[in-house]
């Protein structure tokens, strides 16, 4: 896939297993970049646009009985809408786009987790993104069981729920997802930087900052 060089903006994605704290890190990164005077769009996948947020609800609802291929197509449907409506215009306007999860999540979850054909996933990712790939991807690495327990604890505390449809998958599934991310990071080591989650969000944020200079 082509790096985001045709347009003026900078495209950064934040990936990680469940409970890795990527949403907090995306927010801290946004605040930091804004302090540097950058215009930032913080968004997420699946989601962002109205339509894609509706797809997100279906994808994450424990009541949805989805076969793996339907799941894959829904993530890609949300993505193409998100790209055309949000990400591409923001990049063209010269913004820094921070996206909480993107195409690497599909390779990790639907490829390594659901065992769907990686070639098919790469093909659909390419179509849905119009060939645009991030300038930088941060992968926040955390032990799958530890992360999952943390995510489920927070869900219980905040919403009284037992986790979303994906969080309810087995530790084995989430271990495979983690393997997927780490393999991707090896393959695309220039773009994907692996950061182990630290004892505090601020410590993790400081490690992320080290990789920013190269893309700013
Ligand atoms: P999160 O953004 O709160 O982490 O929730 C999104 C969930 O969707 C998470 O479990 C990862 C999963 N996911 C996929 O399985 N495939 C994808 O392509 C994306 C973007 C997310």
């Amino acid at each position: 896939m082509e790096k985001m060089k045709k347009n003026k903006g900078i495209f950064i994605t934040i990936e990680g297993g469940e409970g890795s704290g990527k949403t907090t890190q995306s927010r801290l990164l946004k605040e930091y970049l804004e302090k540097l005077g950058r215009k930032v769009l913080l968004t997420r996948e699946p989601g962002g646009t109205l339509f894609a947020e509706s797809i997100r609800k279906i994808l994450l609802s424990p009541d949805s009985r989805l076969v793996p291929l339907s799941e894959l197509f829904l993530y890609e449907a949300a993505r193409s809408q998100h790209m055309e409506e949000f990400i591409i215009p923001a990049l063209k306007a010269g913004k820094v786009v921070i996206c909480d999860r993107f195409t690497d999540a599909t390779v990790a979850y639907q490829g390594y987790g659901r065992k769907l054909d990686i070639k098919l996933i790469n093909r659909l990712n390419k179509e849905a993104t119009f060939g645009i790939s991030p300038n930088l991807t941060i992968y926040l690495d955390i032990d799958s069981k530890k992360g999952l327990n943390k995510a489920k604890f927070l869900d219980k505390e905040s919403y009284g729920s037992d986790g979303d449809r994906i969080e309810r998958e087995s530790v084995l599934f989430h271990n495979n997802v983690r393997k997927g991310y780490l393999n991707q990071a090896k393959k695309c080591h220039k773009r994907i930087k692996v950061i182990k989650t630290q004892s505090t969000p601020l410590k993790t944020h400081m490690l992320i900052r080290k990789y920013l200079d190269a893309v700013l």
Side-chain angles (χ1 to χ4, degrees), residues 37 58 66 70 94 99 116 124 173 184:
I58 297 171
L66 294 174
S70 308
C99 193
L116 289 176
L124 291 174
F173 173 89
Q184 278 280 98

Side-chain angles (χ1 to χ4, degrees), residues 162-177:
D162 293 324
D164 64 37
R165 196 176 60 88
I166 311 270
E167 285 166 353
R168 290 179 192 207
E169 289 294 338
S170 65
V171 174
L172 178 67
F173 173 89
H174 288 282
N175 272 334
N176 287 335
V177 169

Side-chain angles (χ1 to χ4, degrees), residues 18 22 45-46 56 60 75 79 101 105-106 109-110 166:
E18 312 298 328
K22 61 188 174 40
E45 288 211 345
R56 179 185 177 92
L60 298 188
Y75 278 111
R79 179 162 299 136
R101 292 199 190 280
T106 323
Y109 282 82
Q110 280 63 54
I166 311 270

Side-chain angles (χ1 to χ4, degrees), residues 4 6-10 86-95 97 132:
M4 193 48 245
K6 278 182 280 182
N7 306 309
K8 298 178 285 176
I10 297 166
F86 263 39
I87 295 184
I88 293 175
L91 290 171
K92 282 190 173 155
K95 291 186 185 170
V97 175
I132 291 169

Side-chain angles (χ1 to χ4, degrees), residues 60-78:
L60 298 188
S61 164
D63 298 332
S64 298
R65 300 177 74 89
L66 294 174
V67 297
L69 259 187
S70 308
E71 182 181 280
L72 170 64
F73 292 148
L74 285 178
Y75 278 111
E76 298 294 355

Side-chain angles (χ1 to χ4, degrees), residues 52-158:
E53 287 290 335
S54 320
I55 296 183
R56 179 185 177 92
K57 285 204 186 92
I58 297 171
L59 278 164
L60 298 188
S61 164
D63 298 332
S64 298
R65 300 177 74 89
L66 294 174
V67 297
L69 259 187
S70 308
E71 182 181 280
L72 170 64
F73 292 148
L74 285 178
Y75 278 111
E76 298 294 355
R79 179 162 299 136
S80 55
Q81 193 77 24
H82 191 208
M83 283 304 288
E84 268 205 67
E85 249 187 80
F86 263 39
I87 295 184
I88 293 175
L91 290 171
K92 282 190 173 155
K95 291 186 185 170
V96 180
V97 175
I98 304 170
C99 193
D100 182 339
R101 292 199 190 280
F102 196 57
T103 46
D104 296 305
T106 323
V107 175
Y109 282 82
Q110 280 63 54
Y112 286 76
R114 300 282 188 229
K115 310 285 182 207
L116 289 176
D117 181 18
I118 307 269
K119 274 195 195 139
L120 169 69
I121 293 172
N122 285 334
R123 167 95 206 280
L124 291 174
N125 275 344
K126 197 171 173 188
E127 293 292 331
T129 58
F130 305 90
I132 291 169
S133 92
N135 300 94
L136 171 69
T137 296
I138 300 291
Y139 169 62
L140 297 173
D141 190 39
I142 188 168
D143 172 77
S144 309
K145 197 170 176 187
K146 197 171 145 196
L148 208 51
N149 285 341
K150 190 176 143 200
K152 284 187 165 178
F153 174 79
L154 290 176
D155 281 340
K156 197 68 168 181
E157 287 279 291
S158 315

